[in-house]
Amino acid sequence: MVIGGSTNMDEDQVCPRCKTSKYRNPSMKLMVNVCGHPLCENCVNLLFAKGSGTCPQCDVPLRRNGFRVQLFEDAGVEKDIDIRRRILREFNKQEEEFATLREYNDYLEDVETIIYNLVNGIDVLATNKKIEAYKRDNRESIVRNRARGRTEEDELDEILQMENELNEERAREEQERLQAEKRNKVQKKEALIDELMTSYGDAKKIVASHTKVAEPEAPVAPKPRPKPTQFSSGVRIGGTRLPAVPIVPQDEGEPFVYAAPQLAMDGPAAPDSERLSADGYLSHIKRVGDAERAGGYAASLGCLRALQEGMAGLLFFPGADG
Amino acid sequence: MRLNVDGLLVYFPYDYIYPEQFSYMLELKKGLDAKGHLVLEMPSGTGKTISLLSLIVSYMLERPLEITKLVYCSRTVPEIEKVLEELAKLNRFIEKQTGQKTKLVGLAVSSRKNLCIHPEVSQEREGKVVDSRCYGLTAGYVRARAARADTAAGDGDGADPVPTCQFFEQLEESGRDATLQAGIYSLDDLKHYGRERGWCPYFVARRAIQQANIIVYSYHYLLDPKIAEVVSKEIVQSSVVVFDEAHNIDNVCIDSMSVHINKRMLERCSNNISAMEKRIANLKETDAARLQDEYQRMVDGLRDAQMKRENNQLLANPVLPDQILQEAVPGNIRTAEHFLNFMKRLVEYLKMRLRVQHVVQESPAGFLKDIFNKICVDRKPLRFCAERLTSMIRTLELTDMADLSPLVLVSHFATLVSTYTKGFTIIVEPSDDKTPNVYNPILYFRCLDSSLAIKPVFERYQSVVITSGTLSPLDMYPKILDFHPVIITSFTMTLARPCILPMIVTKGNDQVTISSKFESREDPAVIRNYGNLLVDMVTAVPDGVVCFFTSYMYMESVVSSWYDQGIITQLQKHKLLFIETQDAAETSLALLNYIQACENGRGAVLLSVARGKVSEGVDFDHHLGRCVLMFGIPYMYTQSRILKARLEYLRDTFQIRENDFLTFDAVRHASQCVGRAMRGKTDYGIMVFADKRFQRSDKRTKLPLWIQEHLKDSMCNLSTEEAVQISKRWLRRMAQPFSRQDQLGISLLTLQQLQSEEMQNKMRERVTHRI
């Protein structure tokens, strides 16, 4: 560090109006507004007592509630970020909305140029017109994108959430381990005292045996199964965002075609349902009551079944080659 | 001699061979046959280097299609030189045996600082300055400007000639076919070669990388993604990579991916940015076409063709997935002004983050979210930051790289933080660990996963050999580096006499337990007993004695107590006393005098620190180190946030428990320290572990096998008095004359002895430890 130079960047801060420095007044806070010119807190209170006024450096009309604490050393950066925030609220298209990467990059550059122009006061009028035009043309997509949030931010949030979960898990494990250790210790102590009280053996031996037992420690507790954090489809439980990859339709193979099964009766064919009543088969079977008919049963069904069963296998000769 | 190793003809340039060298080659051969990775531990001083070189070079000669290249990575320049000496010897031997010139090209590659022969630039002392001055003379646009100036001067315009490097120019003139002839080139040979022909040795070496059969260079050329992409990108897949002295390889990996940023660097960044802004404004008036040209390249998304030019590749971006590199630079940092604006916001943001009063720890994801909320910067432009800055520097034709280094570092940080969301952490501390009371905020961007940096190496190359004298416990390395070796083996040392005497001293003469654990380390009784141990050993041991403490702070407090207790005076009756300090120059002076005192028989004690310079790079062979004392167990500073974060990561990702890793690290450093005394088979030395905790099995079993073998149970719980008695007896035995004849047939073999049936059987049994 240069001798004589300040060692703390905070001490370099000087209010341009009243020349108070951080060194003289450690509680001094520099504030900035949209124009990017800093003022200390006292000056702001003094100049903007009525709630609005002009910047002492550039005469831009300012409102008092527009002032906030200066975060960065360079007030120009402060202004840049102010404008950038405002612009990015409108220009919030995402990469997915462009057909090619090249178009997206061109768009990014346009946005950057607009910000650059506004910050440095180049063609402010034309630029503002451009912004207005853009707003008019893309009103819907702006609102939609605002509601949707940024993909990248979602990704980061997800990582952060996972990290947090991991940390919590770790803290819990640690605590459990400590508690178990404590419990163990107390138990052992009690066991020793119990034995000393009840046993008639040599006290020294008992103590020695217990200290020996105390040595081999740490039966590692089985790790609890990790909580499921994802559905099998890859969607996070409790997560709102859909997975980046669309669900791939599974290959289901050829559609099923019905083919009537060939029956091997090995016997004379049973009479078909029309001949049942005509040949009087039905008269030999129990009459169908109302209750059975309600269930969809008809006498012909039972009859046919009985006939088929009776005739199947009549002509089957074991040993004969079929 | 010519050996038959499992059916392979191996040229070995010495007349005698150690049995373990032969076993080592056997295992190495198996691993190479299987085209897999190996972890091999063999004690220092048993000729690892020559075994490795002999086997692999012979393998290359016999089966040139299977292995085309050997990449040998070592740590320091002296070590690299040693490897090349051995290699040259091997090459001469092979030539003598076969009676014809080999076609092998082997060379050392090092930084510009070690290879530059430019009369002015080579006078610079700092590597960074040499790099940047060289860049200022050889970059493509500088040369183009020089050419323009030349023609202008020819026209009689009288424009100032632009300085360039004549050596580089001559190399360029001789065209692409200016290659190295077959032979082995050490750094000095390269310089000599360059001077003879008027070629720049650095670029000759860089070009030779693709053509050479054997390359010897430092770890960073392969592990540091920023350098590896430039230097080692085109090394073929069928290469064998050897990491020698690899016991610290995980730390090298981690350091190569980590960045730390302090306030002063950010101030310099701001200056850099405003300088660049001026430059751009200037350029817009004079040569707007150039900016337009760059812009067009950005739009087209082509990677700059110029970038392929090797002399421009001083800056490369950190590792990025390839598909991103193919993509175009995002639109919002395409033009120069926008990008500078972007960097400005980034630097301001970092400045703001540095204004902390307490420690802040954050994950990369949290950081990215915050950076979007605060300065509206997306992840994508951050990812392209390093790439974009490189292009910008080239367009602006800036040559003072040393001056721009902080900005480059910030851009690397931006790229890394947005590329990796796992395996990294960000810690902002208001002050340094060393000076906790001075406000000096630092942002650490720390890699926690040592496997990240080395992963491309394992994936790309056919065989990777990790070897060192102290790699125990062997199974830790595959875990923390995340790879699957085909062979893990530890070799012990065959000895004709018990020339290592490891002892664990647990109590002083007054039966006080000695230990450096936190509760008792400031106890005057413990310190006194450490002192008495040292005094007694010093009385018994001739010549040099080296002591290692666990930290500088502990050493200072112990030495001041010793002074009060009169121990220092007692010590000085017997030997001179030298102390290692954090200042490198002071330490090397102390070392020099220590060596002098040992040489002339006065005897000396060196007090040094584990993990310090002495413990890593200095050998105390023969009389320079007859006894090494390790006072305490050199654990890492466990309160450090960075270490805590790494331990947590290791536990969650690799299921390594905190304690296991801490002990592993402490014991590897302890064995590294005591291993300093044994540098060969004729050497002998006492190793004293002075801490009660060493006798516990979890520490003892983690020591290297070659130490464990000699650490009998009777040596594990000694008091000071007993230890001194044992050493006296042992020293008397060791001081007897010892000739080669005594070793022959046991720990040293001739070809006939090696080929005998009995020895071959023994050899097969020797591989004692395999997983």
Side-chain angles (χ1 to χ4, degrees), chain A residues 85-242:
Chain A
R85 282 228 173 88
R86 205 182 73 217
I87 298 295
L88 288 182
R89 265 174 71 80
E90 314 293 343
F91 288 80
N92 56 3
K93 280 195 183 168
Q94 299 197 8
E95 196 173 340
E96 295 95 271
E97 290 168 56
F98 294 89
T100 61
L101 185 70
R102 173 76 175 263
E103 279 171 35
Y104 177 58
N105 279 335
D106 288 341
Y107 161 79
L108 281 180
E109 191 185 334
D110 282 344
V111 176
E112 196 65 33
T113 314
I114 290 172
I115 296 170
Y116 187 81
N117 285 349
L118 286 181
V119 172
N120 294 316
I122 308 166
D123 291 343
V124 180
L125 273 178
T127 315
N128 276 331
K129 259 184 205 157
K130 218 166 148 188
I131 297 172
E132 284 306 318
Y134 175 86
K135 267 200 218 167
R136 256 200 321 278
D137 295 345
N138 298 289
R139 193 172 298 139
E140 277 167 30
S141 82
I142 289 173
V143 175
R144 199 176 55 230
N145 277 337
R146 238 182 245 171
R148 207 173 60 153
R150 291 163 62 251
T151 358
E152 192 180 292
E153 207 172 340
D154 289 343
E155 274 165 28
L156 286 180
D157 278 342
E158 207 167 289
I159 296 171
L160 277 178
Q161 199 186 336
M162 263 160 66
E163 275 170 9
N164 272 339
E165 273 167 21
L166 202 74
N167 281 340
E168 275 167 24
E169 178 98 341
R170 196 183 291 148
R172 219 188 44 238
E173 256 172 42
E174 183 68 21
Q175 209 172 358
E176 269 169 22
R177 202 180 53 81
L178 282 179
Q179 272 174 0
E181 233 169 54
K182 220 177 185 177
R183 236 183 353 246
N184 231 338
K185 229 177 182 174
V186 173
Q187 265 173 14
K188 267 184 198 143
K189 210 171 173 183
E190 277 172 3
L192 171 66
I193 290 175
D194 279 354
E195 201 173 340
L196 281 174
M197 268 194 329
T198 51
S199 151
Y200 291 100
D202 186 2
K204 263 184 194 165
K205 269 184 195 158
I206 294 171
V207 172
S209 75
H210 271 264
T211 46
K212 213 167 258 172
V213 170
E215 277 298 320
E217 180 56 57
V220 182
K223 229 182 156 182
R225 264 181 45 150
K227 230 172 42 188
T229 55
Q230 287 188 341
F231 295 111
S232 58
S233 61
V235 181
R236 283 185 59 79
I237 293 176
T240 49
R241 214 171 63 81
L242 286 170

Side-chain angles (χ1 to χ4, degrees), chain B residues 365-417:
Chain B
F367 187 85
L368 287 177
K369 195 172 153 70
D370 191 57
I371 207 171
F372 178 78
N373 288 339
K374 292 273 162 52
I375 58 167
C376 307
V377 165
D378 279 333
R379 193 167 166 187
K380 205 166 159 198
L382 276 178
R383 209 178 285 173
F384 280 87
C385 193
E387 182 92 354
R388 181 69 186 89
L389 182 68
T390 318
S391 156
M392 173 109 130
I393 289 172
R394 208 164 35 234
T395 312
L396 295 184
E397 300 189 349
L398 299 172
T399 49
D400 194 358
M401 286 298 141
D403 186 45
L404 282 174
S405 58
L407 196 63
V408 173
L409 204 69
V410 167
S411 76
H412 283 164
F413 164 70
T415 302
L416 283 171
V417 81

Side-chain angles (χ1 to χ4, degrees), chain B residues 34 54 75 110 133 159 165 204 216 235-236 369 379 410 491 510 530 555 604 672 679 683 686 697 707 739 749 760:
Chain B
S54 291
R75 273 187 317 180
S110 184
R133 285 197 60 182
C165 174
V204 168
V216 186
I235 293 180
V236 287
K369 195 172 153 70
R379 193 167 166 187
V410 167
F491 301 91
D510 49 4
Y530 272 148
M555 179 167 77
Q672 190 60 30
R679 303 323 277 181
D683 200 357
I686 304 171
S697 68
I707 296 181
S739 67
L749 305 174
Q760 291 285 331

Side-chain angles (χ1 to χ4, degrees), chain B residues 286-320:
Chain B
T286 54
D287 194 1
R290 200 165 0 140
L291 280 177
Q292 189 55 39
D293 198 33
E294 185 198 27
Y295 172 75
Q296 205 50 49
R297 273 202 313 267
M298 297 283 149
V299 173
D300 295 341
L302 295 173
R303 288 197 81 186
D304 197 347
Q306 230 189 2
M307 209 175 136
K308 298 272 180 259
R309 300 281 303 261
E310 56 194 29
N311 49 329
N312 278 336
Q313 292 184 339
L314 190 80
L315 307 154
N317 58 305
V319 260
L320 278 180

Side-chain angles (χ1 to χ4, degrees), chain B residues 42-62:
Chain B
M42 185 153 92
S44 39
T46 49
K48 259 193 313 284
T49 310
I50 190 63
S51 319
L52 272 167
L53 290 174
S54 291
L55 188 97
I56 299 176
V57 169
S58 306
Y59 205 108
M60 275 201 299
L61 287 177
E62 198 163 305

